[in-house]
Amino acid sequence: MGDSRNDSQLLRDALALLQRAEERIKTLERERREPIAVIGMSCRFPGGVTDPESFYELLSEGRDGICPVPADRWDADAWYGAEAGAPGKIHTRFGGFVPGCEQFDAAFFDISPREAESLDPQQRMLLEVSWEAMERAGLAPLDHFDSRTGVFIGISGSDYLRHISQDDASRIDAYMGTGNAHSSASGRLSYFFGFKGPCVSIDTACSSSLVALHAACQSLRSGESELALAGGVNHLLMPDMSVNFSRAHMLAPDGRCKSFDARANGYVRAEGCGIVVLKRLSSAIAAGDPILALIRGSAVNQDGRSSGLTVPNGPAQQMVIRDALKSAGLEPSHVSYVETHGTGTALGDPIEADALGGVFGGRTSPLWISSVKSNIGHLESAAGVASLIKAILCLQRRELPKTLHFTQPSPHIAWDSLPLKVVSERTPWTIEQGSRIAGVSSFSFSGTNAHVVVEEFTPAPVETRRPVLSQRKWQGLALSARSESALRTLAGQYEERLASVTEDGLADLCATAALSRSHFEHRHLFVGQSVASLRALLAACAAGAPLATAGEPRKIAFLFTGQGSQYPNMGRGLYESEPVFRDTVQRLCALLDREFGVALLPLLYPADATNDGASPLDDTAFTQPALFIVEYALAELWRSWGVEPEAVTGHSVGEYVAAAVAGVFSAEDGLRLIAERARLLSKLPAGGGMLSVFAARRTVEAAIANHSATVSIAAVNGAEQIVIAGALTALGQIDEALKSQGIRTKALNVSHAFHSPLTDPTLEPFRRTARTTAFAEPHMTFVSALTGRVASVEVCDPDYWVRHIRRPVLFHDALQTLDSLSCTTLIEIGPQPILSGLAGADTTRSDRLCLPSLRKARDDERQMLETLGAL
């Protein structure tokens, strides 16, 4: 007999292995069937359609986008032939056109004027529409460089290539190939955006764009792509293919697709472009992306051997629809509407209707059907994506627009025995249970068929979303463009857009403009309190109001303010509106309360928000930790906004915050140090003061030479702005002597003589605390105001911070070092622009841009946003 214990263990191991295998199979099945989220889309279609909104307006209003052939395409009268199939003639004068699709802002897409001449308008439309689709998805287009983003484009026409060659070899230039090859249509998108995922152009004629969508969904589900752009494009420029289709008796003489109607006699050719942005549903939800609809399933097949290459095959159409439903895990009864291929041909429509009846028969409620081709014509390689975008818009609005040109049902369709009902009037899309689900069909004269199942998206009750936007009183609308004229045009467009924006929606609009758009060298931040105030600023910009001149990027330095800048409620506006600022203040105040027994938060932000008088914050024991906390929170806020300094420096207490930002010690350790420093200094006896002297350092050194035991230079703020500190008696004598020489002085309102011999009793106690602190070399340029030079390992020595109490602040020297580092944009991180004033007073440095974070008499949010605007 075997060992029963070993047998039991083997059985447990086998069961565990089987369970893991079953879980893996379930995971793979979930991934294979995971819905694909449509998170953005855009389009250019006939009838003046420039975006999804104008597309739905055309559909819901029942407008016809077909028009006479424009003169800049071909001479419709010269090519017209009344007799169907006449050699060299076209049996219609109509088509669906996108005016201006040949026009193109080549510089925006880094394409030279010479190369643009040979660039197929199809590629031009693809670039513009893809950019817009990504922005509509909340994705800054240029932020996805090197990403696993796939590009799947349906394209079949080559009109522009024939146009620019015209049998004249001298017109062929170096750009004709890349400007017109179908492979370059998708390749140029990946090249411009820097995508590294799959990139394919697909030509299956009329079903191209829906086949491209199917390939994109497969790529996403397999993990090959993390994000995908899918769609199609078509452009009509030359008459020869229209001659071909006319001779094949495919075109309607009146230029209208009369889908499923008794008068169906052919289709009308049309052009346009549509792009959808796709993600796996789980990824879209995790990222908080806007989800417009879900692609539940898709399938592609071929007619095979039918009665002719271009003749539709009903059984094959049934098969592709059944396969798409199977991939979606749905039954035919779940689908309540199908956006059909519906070209309006006497042969194709009955075959398609019979195929739909074969799949959806036996239902109790009718299956609604329609065709967008009745509105905008047959976009050929872009037809499928046009149908998809229409279906998504219908799902979102829960209604079905009227099918145009449907007046009498086709007698070739057995309507009485089929569960089909053409949408003949604008109709609410109601369902008895479940969710709204549509099928979208796209068939091809090459025999390649595609079908997609798309479902409305209903967010779960608990859903991962982006953090709720803070309720600011002031908003900043950030706009940018590649040129000043384009920026003014954009400002005008936003002014019009704001006409339909509520005050509650303003924060969302501003956030989207800032975070979900790529930004360019010509930019402006419009700061206002309301929709009306921003509209006024935008209108002025559009009308030609002065804008700041675009310049080279500047290196930024943070200047951290020292003692004397404090006041009650400093930064209160940010505390109430900015989560990053508030969380930082609360975290550090809690540490101070816990470890030092100092309840600072009620002192910083007292119940009486208007209090502007005397405050406990003026006590050094509270002043220094309060400044540290507010300034560190300001730095964190700036960095959360994407403003990173090249270098940091600080004035006295401010140098501690600079060190924390540079990583010399943690914010917590920095606060512990400054709190102990403040405690020791506050316990010094009274009798000390500080005096600002407006003279050269050499003159001041001579004036205090006889008082070196009790007075010293405390700060060098400028070439002729020196601060001395020490015993009040000695300072009085020095003051009188200086005034007698005609030198201006100013006594400072301080509690103690900082950076003077009177601070010596604090040095040894502070050294003991400093030795318990963990130090590290700065991870960014740290300009020491103790030495006036760039510091590195020396700031890791506790004795550095001991000397920092006693020795003068060499702020003027630190500024000169920043100048040598080309840090000419100086942002003061403190409650008042004191250091900005010192730096700006130096008339020898006109290139410095000195910007405050806060001003005592100005709204905190407004000041921060205006400084951001200046940056």
Side-chain angles (χ1 to χ4, degrees), residues 29 116 118 126 222 333 409 424 499 573 739 825:
E29 183 64 16
S118 294
L126 282 170
S222 71
S333 60
S424 57
K739 287 178 178 176
T825 295

Side-chain angles (χ1 to χ4, degrees), residues 199-425:
C199 177
V200 292
S201 294
I202 293 175
D203 180 4
T204 61
C206 315
S207 59
S208 298
S209 58
L210 216 58
V211 173
L213 180 88
H214 171 72
C217 293
Q218 289 183 317
S219 181
L220 287 165
R221 288 194 178 104
S222 71
E224 183 182 50
S225 297
E226 295 297 328
L227 178 73
L229 270 62
V233 66
N234 194 44
H235 181 238
L236 308 180
L237 182 61
M238 303 290 286
D240 45 356
M241 289 307 297
S242 294
V243 172
N244 168 241
F245 293 138
S246 185
R247 295 215 67 184
H249 300 274
M250 293 181 178
L251 302 184
D254 61 355
R256 300 299 184 274
C257 290
K258 298 171 281 293
S259 308
F260 306 107
D261 191 81
R263 298 170 298 129
N265 59 350
Y267 66 83
V268 58
R269 299 187 71 203
E271 67 185 10
C273 179
I275 293 289
V276 293
V277 184
L278 308 171
K279 263 189 181 181
R280 292 186 296 276
L281 176 59
S282 56
S283 299
I285 291 176
D289 295 317
I291 299 176
L292 310 181
L294 302 178
I295 306 297
R296 288 293 305 272
S298 61
V300 171
N301 75 358
Q302 233 283 341
D303 284 341
R305 189 76 171 184
S306 60
S307 58
L309 174 64
T310 64
V311 177
N313 184 325
Q317 292 180 11
Q318 288 191 42
M319 183 185 298
V320 78
I321 296 171
R322 293 187 192 279
D323 287 346
L325 288 168
K326 183 179 179 181
S327 77
L330 297 171
E331 297 296 328
S333 60
H334 293 130
V335 177
S336 51
Y337 169 69
V338 171
E339 176 62 27
T340 66
H341 186 58
T343 52
T345 61
L347 178 64
D349 287 359
I351 292 175
E352 182 171 10
D354 286 344
L356 289 170
V359 177
F360 296 100
R363 57 197 294 133
T364 57
S365 58
L367 177 72
W368 292 100
I369 63 172
S370 184
S371 175
V372 74
K373 295 176 180 66
S374 71
N375 297 93
I376 59 175
H378 187 357
L379 271 66
E380 298 170 345
S381 50
V385 73
S387 295
L388 175 70
I389 292 174
K390 174 191 172 182
I392 292 172
L393 291 169
C394 291
L395 286 167
Q396 290 180 315
R397 288 157 176 80
R398 300 185 173 186
E399 69 173 10
L400 301 172
K402 174 183 179 180
T403 307
L404 302 190
H405 318 304
F406 181 75
T407 58
Q408 183 177 352
S410 169
H412 305 295
I413 298 174
W415 297 103
D416 292 342
S417 61
L418 295 175
L420 309 179
K421 188 170 184 179
V422 176
V423 185
S424 57
E425 297 295 337

Side-chain angles (χ1 to χ4, degrees), residues 475-478 505-515 534:
Q475 299 293 338
L477 177 60
L506 185 58
D508 284 332
L509 182 139
C510 291
T512 301
L515 304 176
L534 283 173

Side-chain angles (χ1 to χ4, degrees), residues 20-34:
R20 288 196 296 270
E22 289 177 345
E23 289 298 324
R24 178 58 179 158
I25 290 171
K26 290 179 182 178
T27 299
L28 291 172
E29 183 64 16
R30 283 196 301 270
E31 291 174 352
R32 187 176 72 85
R33 291 184 182 275
E34 181 176 11

